[in-house]
Amino acid sequence: MYKEDERDHVLMWTNQELEKTSSDNIYERIRLLNSIGAIHMRELNYDLAKKVFDNVISLYNQYQEITSTKEKMFDDLMITVFFNIGRLYHHQKDWTTALENYEKSLNLALKQDQQHPQLAEIYNCLELTYAYRNDWL
């Protein structure tokens, strides 16, 4: 976890960057919101983290509606977003929702590269979540 003054500084800076970012720059807004959500999650502020991640999903859905092309950079970012959302629900012991998000992260990663750098971490979290749920593959 961050020290309180470090966390406050990072959150203040990230929120300022978000305010300066054009509403048309969906990628950058998702990237910044993902960082904010991850900080809140690390600080165990799960309700606020969930609200932030809900905004991320809303922006991503908006992006998908306005474009027919899939950009690798968006998929890379959403691999991390869905993974972070999975971790959020894992911490709250909502195993089903955690699994749903880990699987979204996994599916995007596998579409890109069978050797994606986040695959090991995703598989590890999937395994742990199934174990906590007492439901093995």
Side-chain angles (χ1 to χ4, degrees), residues 102-117:
Y102 289 144
E103 287 169 1
K104 287 177 185 178
S105 181
L106 176 65
N107 289 335
L108 283 173
L110 289 174
K111 281 183 190 175
Q112 287 191 6
D113 184 359
Q114 294 294 322
Q115 301 298 320
H116 192 279

Side-chain angles (χ1 to χ4, degrees), residues 31 41 45 51 56 58 68 75 77 84 94 103 136:
R31 189 185 70 74
M41 182 177 53
N45 192 344
K51 287 179 186 176
V56 170
S58 178
S68 60
D75 284 350
L77 182 56
N84 283 339
D94 181 345
E103 287 169 1
W136 295 92

